[in-house]
Amino acid sequence: MNIFNDFTGRVKAAVRAAKFDGLAADDLDRVIVEPPRDASHGDLASNAAMVLAKPLGLKPRDAAVRIAAELARDPDIDAAEIAGPGFINLRLRPGYWQAVLKGIVAAGEAYGHSRLGKGEKVNVEYVSANPTGPMHIGHCRGAVFGDALASLLAAAGHDVTREYYINDAGAQVITLARSAYLRYREALGEDIGEIPEGLYPGDYLKPVGQALADEFGGFLVDRPEGEWLPVVRDRTIAAMMAMIRDDLKMLNIEHEVFFSERSLQEGNAGKVAAAIEALRAKGLIYQGRLPPPKGQIPDDWEDREQTLFRATEFGDDVDRPLMKSDGSYTYFASDIAYHYDKFRRGYLNMIDVLGADHGGYVKRMKAAVTAISGGEAELDVKLCQLVRLFRAGEPVRMSKRSGDFVTLRELVEEVGPDPVRFMMVFRKNDAPLDFDFQKVTEQSKDNPVFYVQYAHARAASVFRQAVAEMPGVERNVEALIHAPLEKLSDSGEIGLIRRLAEYPRIIEAAAEAHEPHRIAFYLYEVASEFHAQWNRGKELPQLRFINHDDSDSTLARLALVHATKLVLSSGLAILGVSAPDEMR
RNA sequence: GGCCCCGUAGCUCAGCGGAUAGAGCAGUAGCCUUCUAAGCUAUUGGUCGCAGGUUCGAUUCCUGCCGGGGUCACCA
């Protein structure tokens, strides 16, 4: 029920009915109907005449006259006015917005959800933190962003899979195993002294060491590394992943698929080799030398022949190596195989959520996806910028010493999941974000999380109030649908309905752009208008939602409050933020 | 040096092909001191980094500069 799409269709029909000469089918593609910039322009605005003027060889206003004449025949349209450079501004019949409100109440929780995605499969890969320690603040934004994006796409009618890529194959994971092995010996009573440079010093490995001691006793102590390492590694990775999942659960984030990098290389699968062979068959693999990077040549640069992927054929800046000098695969090679696997699982739409420090990686990954799918699959990489922590305006200093940064767990335990989730997405993903521990828990207008949640709570409160004060009034959904909505005539009330009417459009636009922050900003606007209307009742008691002398008005306004509450809770659900009925 | 992202009101940021560029904070001026639950209303403030280009029309798209950040074989 996207009225803007609805009227876009009507405008296009009007254009056809006007029987212009020389109109091509795709000329109509750019025709849209939008909310007007200014309420004085009417209810809806279309760019049709301006867009069509060129192909038709007419002046915009001349084309507009003919289109407007056709539109005027629509019974929902009271007037089609031409303004500015050729806008067609539509004024809708009285009662139209009230009918929209009725539609929202009738649609209930499904309101705003769209079939735009046509059930197509989308894979959203996010978090994918290395399994070497607890989640920290750096992971948090991508985690929340990815999760909200996944929900958003689902609301827009996609078949979404939430996926986590476990980087369990490289040198880091060996370092992790050695670190855990030390803790194991420590658990057995050995004095291990300082954790050596290069190993992970964090205390979080102590329980892992203890668990290993419990399981193996002293059995692993005098064995050669080649024997204990695979065992310790697997146990430790499992423990780290369990910890990470617990951390994520605090933010209500749960992935459906955990995909192991190592599974691509090990055993008889050989998926990395297979992916490389698939590229080789397309003539995209060769042995060659790479020029050293300009500007700054690494100290240990060695000019050697290596196995390269022709990424430059797909827009990358240089061809990319797939094998390290020790003969093992590069991370990129594994990642190609991973995305090949996604493609073979039927995902033609893939989204990777990464930190901004991976910006240099996107061209090659997009190139790889294009190459490996023969151009069938599309990858979008969303980069999340840094989060800067503050406390009451003062930057929170984070020591460089490893293991001493703010963990996700500490963050959520202090402020709760809702502020974290809301604030992480209350900014465009590629803009840096300031997060203030104190501000986000304030119960004031200055705190957007509170402001939006409070609007929902206030809506719930109005209903509680109605029960208490006017026990005679039926307030169930059926009664609200049939409420005498013509009682809603105040400009603030109609304005709020118009705002609510935008919700389906916001979802579709945000989903198409892969930008969940638009939902957060929209909810802020809804909350703002709702609060404003509530406040107007202070000055003008006749505008109060609950009016003892007028059960018709009250019921109509309860329908509006109900619809507002629906939109707020729906949008908050997409963001993964709770919609409380009271704030105490 | 190459590549990517960002330069919009004093501050933090929306807007990303359309009509006089928006919001919050701060500032200013009132109101409220009580009720519908953590104030309310109004208002000041902008060559949309600079210069070209595409377009009927550019903050929005393209190119080049300037400024800030990130990144730059064999780490993940």
Side-chain angles (χ1 to χ4, degrees):
Chain A
M1 199 181 69
N2 182 334
I3 64 165
F4 302 95
N5 289 349
D6 176 10
F7 276 91
T8 298
R10 299 194 204 193
V11 169
K12 287 179 179 176
V15 171
R16 288 192 202 93
K19 295 196 169 41
F20 289 105
D21 291 329
L23 186 69
D26 58 351
D27 288 339
L28 287 173
D29 290 353
R30 290 175 57 210
V31 171
I32 54 168
V33 170
E34 298 175 297
R37 180 184 291 288
D38 191 313
S40 68
H41 294 146
D43 294 307
L44 299 169
S46 178
N47 64 352
M50 294 181 290
V51 167
L52 295 172
K54 178 94 177 232
L56 293 176
L58 294 172
K59 289 180 184 167
R61 296 188 70 107
D62 292 342
V65 170
R66 289 171 61 182
I67 299 168
E70 292 297 331
L71 283 168
R73 301 151 73 112
D74 188 316
D76 284 331
I77 296 173
D78 255 13
E81 296 152 4
I82 297 152
F87 283 100
I88 300 171
N89 291 329
L90 304 179
R91 287 181 198 284
L92 302 176
R93 57 161 239 261
Y96 186 84
W97 291 110
Q98 289 83 348
V100 168
L101 172 59
K102 180 174 178 172
I104 295 172
V105 175
E109 289 178 8
Y111 175 64
H113 289 209
S114 157
R115 276 183 266 187
L116 180 77
K118 298 179 200 143
E120 286 167 9
K121 293 175 71 170
V122 185
N123 186 291
V124 185
E125 180 205 327
Y126 58 107
V127 187
S128 298
N130 294 333
T132 53
M135 302 269 301
H136 57 79
I137 187 71
H139 301 116
C140 186
R141 189 171 180 185
V144 171
F145 174 88
D147 202 56
L149 176 56
S151 298
L152 171 61
L153 291 170
H158 287 89
D159 177 8
V160 180
T161 301
R162 297 156 197 260
E163 196 151 321
Y164 185 121
Y165 184 49
I166 309 170
N167 301 138
D168 54 2
Q172 289 192 18
V173 133
I174 292 175
T175 303
L176 176 73
R178 290 182 180 141
S179 309
Y181 186 68
L182 262 189
R183 295 299 189 183
Y184 158 69
R185 286 172 23 200
E186 182 182 43
L188 291 172
E190 193 174 325
D191 180 10
I192 58 169
E194 284 278 299
I195 303 292
E197 189 74 22
L199 295 186
Y200 296 108
D203 286 349
Y204 57 86
L205 286 174
K206 284 184 178 173
V208 179
Q210 186 59 53
L212 286 165
D214 293 345
E215 183 178 355
F216 294 101
F219 180 74
L220 297 174
V221 173
D222 293 319
R223 303 282 153 177
E225 182 175 277
E227 245 174 76
W228 59 256
L229 192 132
V231 176
V232 172
R233 180 193 59 196
D234 290 359
R235 297 292 191 285
T236 309
I237 290 172
M240 293 298 102
M241 286 310 298
M243 182 172 69
I244 287 170
R245 287 163 93 135
D246 281 350
D247 286 354
L248 288 170
K249 204 156 190 180
M250 295 186 73
L251 286 171
N252 298 314
I253 294 172
E254 288 187 65
H255 295 77
E256 286 136 31
V257 177
F258 286 83
F259 197 101
S260 155
E261 178 186 359
R262 200 140 50 84
S263 75
L264 294 163
Q265 303 179 0
E266 285 199 337
N268 50 18
K271 288 185 174 176
V272 180
I276 292 176
E277 282 319 302
L279 288 174
R280 194 185 302 281
K282 296 171 193 271
L284 297 172
I285 305 293
Y286 69 102
Q287 298 297 120
R289 290 171 190 280
L290 239 35
K294 291 205 170 69
Q296 194 176 355
I297 298 171
D299 297 339
D300 54 347
W301 173 265
E302 53 174 304
D303 184 23
R304 66 179 181 90
E305 183 152 287
Q306 45 189 341
T307 306
L308 298 168
F309 162 58
R310 284 189 204 280
T312 47
E313 285 207 7
F314 303 93
D316 199 1
D317 307 309
V318 294
D319 292 338
R320 302 292 178 177
L322 301 177
M323 309 281 275
K324 301 182 206 169
S325 46
D326 68 359
S328 62
Y329 295 114
T330 58
Y331 179 80
F332 180 51
S334 296
D335 219 1
I336 292 175
Y338 175 42
H339 286 79
Y340 189 40
D341 188 85
K342 288 186 196 173
F343 173 60
R344 302 199 15 157
R345 281 186 276 147
Y347 297 104
L348 302 185
N349 293 298
M350 309 175 195
I351 300 171
D352 290 357
V353 179
L354 302 173
D357 55 340
H358 290 70
Y361 196 67
V362 335
K363 275 191 182 184
R364 83 188 66 166
M365 205 58 242
K366 284 188 173 190
V369 168
T370 303
I372 201 81
S373 72
E376 277 189 66
E378 191 172 343
L379 170 69
D380 187 18
V381 181
K382 303 299 281 185
L383 300 175
C384 290
Q385 269 289 356
L386 292 176
V387 176
R388 292 181 302 223
L389 294 180
F390 295 81
R391 189 178 293 282
E394 291 299 311
V396 174
R397 289 264 161 252
M398 278 186 284
S399 162
K400 287 286 181 190
R401 276 178 299 134
S402 49
D404 193 25
F405 21 174
V406 177
T407 64
L408 182 148
R409 177 163 291 269
E410 289 165 343
L411 178 68
V412 178
E413 277 174 354
E414 177 167 341
V415 305
D418 286 342
V420 175
R421 290 206 55 136
F422 192 91
M423 293 313 294
M424 289 295 153
V425 91
F426 196 58
R427 195 108 304 173
K428 214 165 25 180
N429 61 291
D430 49 15
L433 182 155
D434 294 345
F435 185 97
D436 193 311
F437 278 91
Q438 184 187 311
K439 202 169 165 189
V440 300
T441 52
E442 268 172 22
Q443 300 215 334
S444 81
K445 188 181 184 318
D446 301 345
N447 174 10
V449 192
F450 173 76
Y451 191 64
V452 173
Q453 286 188 316
Y454 177 42
H456 184 272
R458 178 170 267 177
S461 162
V462 169
F463 271 81
R464 285 193 297 271
Q465 205 84 24
V467 174
E469 296 184 18
M470 299 178 73
V473 179
E474 275 293 330
R475 299 164 310 274
N476 58 44
V477 172
E478 199 56 31
L480 295 176
I481 290 174
H482 296 105
L485 299 177
E486 67 278 2
K487 292 285 181 182
L488 300 175
S489 56
D490 175 70
S491 64
E493 292 166 348
I494 300 299
L496 184 51
I497 299 174
R498 293 157 90 131
R499 181 67 68 189
L500 300 178
E502 286 180 34
Y503 184 51
R505 180 176 184 269
I506 296 288
I507 287 195
E508 292 186 352
E512 280 190 306
H514 299 167
E515 291 184 347
H517 76 275
R518 296 191 194 197
I519 303 293
F521 282 96
Y522 169 74
L523 293 178
Y524 187 83
E525 288 174 347
V526 171
S528 175
E529 288 191 37
F530 179 67
H531 287 311
Q533 190 63 15
W534 191 89
N535 284 319
R536 289 183 71 205
K538 283 187 168 173
E539 286 292 312
L540 305 168
Q542 69 273 23
L543 287 181
R544 294 184 175 199
F545 295 131
I546 298 169
N547 189 336
H548 295 102
D549 306 327
D550 188 343
S551 59
D552 276 0
S553 284
T554 300
L555 191 58
R557 284 171 186 162
L558 286 178
L560 178 56
V561 173
H562 177 71
T564 305
K565 189 164 171 283
L566 275 176
V567 168
L568 289 170
S569 70
S570 169
L572 286 170
I574 287 172
L575 303 182
V577 177
S578 70
D581 281 345
E582 52 185 347
M583 299 300 287
R584 299 177 201 285

